[in-house]
């Protein structure tokens, strides 16, 4: 079925309310992006989300939108706390898949001669690949429960990080209300030896350089300067989060039938926020989100250790500090003003990043004057971006923006395009060192599989829902 779209301006498109829709859809995209979107199913998913009970404001899609499970990836939707629903499809399988950015005092010329050694150390110290696990760290049952409740703070308590790290993580590295009793034995088993691992797919660990500063004053507040070495960590809740989603999809299918919720797509199965099923899912989701925060915190410790091993200087001397850590796949209660009235909403961000504005109390004090840092990774062969949130974006998108470049090729199509090519040599010719657990994942993640993230963030900038601060270029990439 063709989805009707109406152009509002150069980067906004409305999907007008019709049929069972309770609100409009609003898509951020340029003309070329929209032409491509009209050939696939993601716009239909935006429309489907608009039919869910209690939705407040439009069903939103960011410029990295592509087809996903239930909600499109790049989808955002807010639901009234009393009349709305929560849907695992609006969070995704990889709960709290997210990105952390570290800065250093190093300049690129200090690191480039040792890039191969650094890539080897990172690949050795941070397990990656399908089913990756740490042989030297398997949590006891009691320890795993603490991780699920305390998140990144548990790792810091073990001496691997600092209070300053926690101050620069969304929600302080811990979602409140987590209840490990609501997780299946299978979910707990899958997570027990995967803390501190990257996994596979589009997850990565990347050493980068600051290639361009767009806003010098904002960059100064974030501690960024041209030629600086940074590190990006992109991973989530691993098998534990996947299992939580899988377990609760079955719960939500029954709940939707129980509460008489009409679904245009079974993948949008949901339950009222104030129902036992809704509360249980949020408490289980919080466990997986906290596991992901702890995972990125532990990987940060291994990154610091790797730099120390290769460069012979302490992490403190290198000033390897956390700029920020953001969630991509999450549903959280937040306060927003809608039509002049403050309301408590459950905001689903699925492949989308929170982007709170200057002055917001949930932005760390050190960044409050400029807004929340927003981290937008691209593909392994091009570049990534650092942005900050805006007041206009907070009003229009519930403080949300894109989370990456967005796929344009399926993994199968990417593998087919990569057949016969030497991707590692192609990257080396661009000055990028690659270490990967398997060639299959590398083929799936070639640059051509993604939109150009520069085009994506320019739409964000033009729409006023984010403000570009800096561009980062990859030097060394570790993948599953």
């Amino acid at each position: 079925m063709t989805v009707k779209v109406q152009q509002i301006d150069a980067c906004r498109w409305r999907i007008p309310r019709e049929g069972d829709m309770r609100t409009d859809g609003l898509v951020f995209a340029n003309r070329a992006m929209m032409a491509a979107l009209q050939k696939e199913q993601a716009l239909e998913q935006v429309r489907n989300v608009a039919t869910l009970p209690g939705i407040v404001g439009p069903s939103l899609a960011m410029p990295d939108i592509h087809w996903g499970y239930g909600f499109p990836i790049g989808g955002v939707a807010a639901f009234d706390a009393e009349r709305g629903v929560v849907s695992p499809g609006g969070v995704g399988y990889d709960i709290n898949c997210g990105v952390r950015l570290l800065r250093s005092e190093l300049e690129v010329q200090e690191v480039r001669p040792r890039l191969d050694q650094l890539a080897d150390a990172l690949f050795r110290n941070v397990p990656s690949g399908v089913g990756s696990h740490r042989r030297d760290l398997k949590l006891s049952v009691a320890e795993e429960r603490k991780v699920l409740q305390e998140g990144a703070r548990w790792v810091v308590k073990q001496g691997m990080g600092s209070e300053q790290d926690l101050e620069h993580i969304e929600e302080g590295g811990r979602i409140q209300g987590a209840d490990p009793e609501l997780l299946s034995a299978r979910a707990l088993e899958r997570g027990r030896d995967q803390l501190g691992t990257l996994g596979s797919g589009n997850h990565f660990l990347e050493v980068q350089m600051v290639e361009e500063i767009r806003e010098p004053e904002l960059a100064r507040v974030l501690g960024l300067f041209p030629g600086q070495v940074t590190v990006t960590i992109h991973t989530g809740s691993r098998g534990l989060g996947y299992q939580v989603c899988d377990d609760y999809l079955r719960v939500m299918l029954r709940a939707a039938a129980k509460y008489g919720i009409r679904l245009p797509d079974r993948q949008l199965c949901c339950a009222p926020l104030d129902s036992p099923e809704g509360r249980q899912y949020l408490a289980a989701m919080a466990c997986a989100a906290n596991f992901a925060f702890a995972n990125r915190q532990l990987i940060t410790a291994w990154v610091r250790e790797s730099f120390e091993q290769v460069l012979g200087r302490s992490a403190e001397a290198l000033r390897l500090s956390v700029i920020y850590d953001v969630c991509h796949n999450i549903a959280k209660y937040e306060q927003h003003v809608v039509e002049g009235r403050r309301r408590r909403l459950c905001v689903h961000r699925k492949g989308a990043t929170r982007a709170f504005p200057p002055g917001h109390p949930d932005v760390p004090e050190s960044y409050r004057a400029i807004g929340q840092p927003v981290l937008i990774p691209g593909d392994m062969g091009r570049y990534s971006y650092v942005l900050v949130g805006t007041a206009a974006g907070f009003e229009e998108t519930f403080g949300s923006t894109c989370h990456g470049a967005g796929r344009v090729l399926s993994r199968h199509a990417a593998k087919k395009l990569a057949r016969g090519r030497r991707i590692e040599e192609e990257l080396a010719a661009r000055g990028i060192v690659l270490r990967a657990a398997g060639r299959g994942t590398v083929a799936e993640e070639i640059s051509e599989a993604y939109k150009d993230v520069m085009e994506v963030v320019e739409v964000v900038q033009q729409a006023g829902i984010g403000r570009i601060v800096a561009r980062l270029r990859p030097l060394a990439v570790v993948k599953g």
Side-chain angles (χ1 to χ4, degrees):
M1 184 186 297
T2 302
V3 176
K4 298 176 185 175
V5 292
Q6 300 169 347
Q7 187 166 8
I8 299 171
D9 59 23
C11 51
R12 288 176 178 82
W13 305 76
R14 177 185 294 111
I15 300 176
R17 178 179 176 180
E18 62 179 1
D20 292 336
M21 293 173 67
R22 300 169 191 263
T23 185
D24 290 342
L26 177 60
V27 182
F28 294 88
N30 61 28
R31 187 177 292 275
M33 290 174 181
M34 181 53 68
L37 282 169
Q38 288 180 307
K39 298 174 184 176
E40 53 129 310
Q41 293 176 288
L43 293 180
E44 186 174 342
Q45 292 187 312
V46 175
R47 185 174 62 185
N48 288 343
V49 171
T51 70
L52 293 177
I55 188 167
V56 174
S59 169
L60 296 159
M62 300 298 126
D64 54 344
I65 175 182
H66 53 289
W67 182 85
Y69 186 96
F71 277 54
I73 298 168
V76 177
F79 295 89
D80 182 82
E82 296 178 2
R83 300 190 304 275
V85 296
V86 61
S87 173
V91 173
Y93 273 92
D94 193 359
I95 296 167
N96 190 8
C97 175
V99 172
R100 177 178 293 209
L101 178 64
L102 312 179
R103 61 179 170 239
S104 76
E105 68 165 17
L106 292 163
E107 297 188 21
V108 65
Q109 59 267 26
E110 299 177 73
V111 170
R112 197 176 289 282
R114 299 184 183 181
L115 266 181
D116 280 296
Q117 293 172 264
L118 188 54
D120 287 340
L122 291 167
F123 188 63
R124 181 174 62 249
N125 292 334
V126 183
S128 58
V130 177
S132 54
H133 62 278
R134 289 197 68 92
R135 293 174 183 166
D136 59 341
L137 178 68
K138 182 160 185 175
L139 301 170
S140 68
V141 173
E143 286 172 332
E144 187 177 26
R145 287 178 63 88
K146 289 182 179 178
V147 169
L148 299 176
Q149 292 172 315
E150 299 177 13
R153 182 167 293 280
W154 181 87
V155 181
V156 171
K157 285 180 180 178
Q158 312 313 305
M160 291 176 280
S162 66
E163 286 293 325
Q164 187 179 41
D165 290 346
L166 298 176
E167 290 169 10
H168 295 112
I169 306 173
E170 187 171 330
E171 302 295 335
R174 178 194 180 199
I175 305 290
Q176 300 285 343
D179 185 354
E181 295 296 331
L182 296 172
L183 270 59
S184 67
R186 177 61 177 148
L188 295 168
E189 179 187 358
R190 292 186 70 177
R192 204 158 291 143
D193 63 354
Q194 289 191 332
L195 197 65
T197 68
L198 271 181
S200 61
N202 64 345
H203 295 158
F204 65 83
L205 172 58
E206 193 167 281
V207 181
Q208 304 153 321
M209 63 170 283
V210 178
E211 182 179 50
E212 176 185 274
I213 298 289
R214 182 83 69 98
E215 296 264 14
E217 285 305 307
L218 302 184
R220 181 187 59 77
V221 175
L222 296 176
L224 295 173
F225 59 85
Q228 178 184 21
V229 173
T230 61
V231 180
T232 290
I233 300 164
H234 178 205
T235 189
S237 50
R238 304 289 282 110
L240 182 142
Y242 187 101
Q243 193 65 45
V244 168
C245 180
D246 206 44
D247 291 340
Y248 276 87
L249 284 171
R250 290 189 285 272
V251 173
M252 292 302 192
L253 274 170
R254 294 192 296 270
K258 173 182 174 181
Y259 296 107
I261 299 171
R262 184 176 175 183
L263 300 174
D265 178 354
R266 282 169 53 89
Q267 294 181 358
L268 287 175
C269 58
C270 55
L273 283 159
D274 64 354
S275 68
E277 296 90 343
R279 291 192 294 270
Q280 288 165 11
Y281 170 73
L282 286 171
M285 183 211 69
C287 288
N290 290 341
F291 186 95
F293 282 135
N295 193 29
R296 293 194 289 273
Q297 183 65 35
L298 197 51
I299 291 173
T300 297
W302 309 143
V303 168
R304 287 167 170 158
E305 179 183 296
S306 301
F307 270 76
E308 288 175 342
Q309 290 170 355
V310 173
L311 297 173
R313 294 159 62 187
S314 70
E316 290 77 15
L318 296 170
R319 302 202 178 188
L320 271 168
S321 56
V322 178
I323 291 182
Y324 205 58
D325 180 307
V326 296
C327 309
H328 286 164
N329 296 349
I330 204 78
K332 290 191 297 186
Y333 283 110
E334 296 172 359
Q335 296 287 331
H336 291 273
V337 176
V338 180
E339 298 177 349
R341 184 165 65 92
R342 182 170 293 278
R343 296 175 66 174
R344 185 170 182 252
L345 306 175
C346 184
V347 182
H348 293 57
R349 296 186 181 95
K350 198 252 189 90
T353 307
R354 194 185 77 173
F356 279 4
H360 195 286
D362 288 346
V363 176
E365 188 175 350
S366 53
Y367 304 140
R368 204 162 291 162
I370 66 169
Q372 179 205 307
V374 176
L375 312 173
I376 311 296
D379 60 78
M380 63 183 176
R382 287 187 276 201
Y383 25 62
S384 299
Y385 282 85
V386 180
L387 294 80
V388 290
T390 66
F394 188 68
E395 293 179 9
E396 186 174 18
T397 68
F398 303 102
S400 309
T401 191
C402 66
H403 88 306
R407 290 194 77 95
V408 292
L409 292 180
S410 68
R411 286 178 165 80
H412 175 75
K415 279 185 173 181
K416 186 175 180 182
L417 186 61
R419 195 170 298 150
R421 290 166 53 180
R422 298 181 180 272
I423 306 302
E424 187 171 355
E425 292 178 11
E426 291 178 18
L427 292 173
R430 301 186 214 174
I432 302 168
V433 175
L434 175 67
R435 297 290 184 271
R439 191 185 183 283
T441 300
V442 171
E444 293 172 357
E445 297 298 308
I446 57 174
S447 293
E448 297 93 327
Y450 289 89
K451 299 174 188 176
D452 186 336
V453 72
M454 181 187 296
E455 188 177 359
V456 171
V457 297
E458 288 295 349
V459 170
V460 167
Q461 171 97 359
Q462 188 177 357
I465 61 173
R467 190 173 174 188
I468 300 171
V469 178
R471 184 170 72 198
L472 315 176
R473 184 170 289 278
L475 299 173
V477 181
V478 175
K479 291 195 69 68

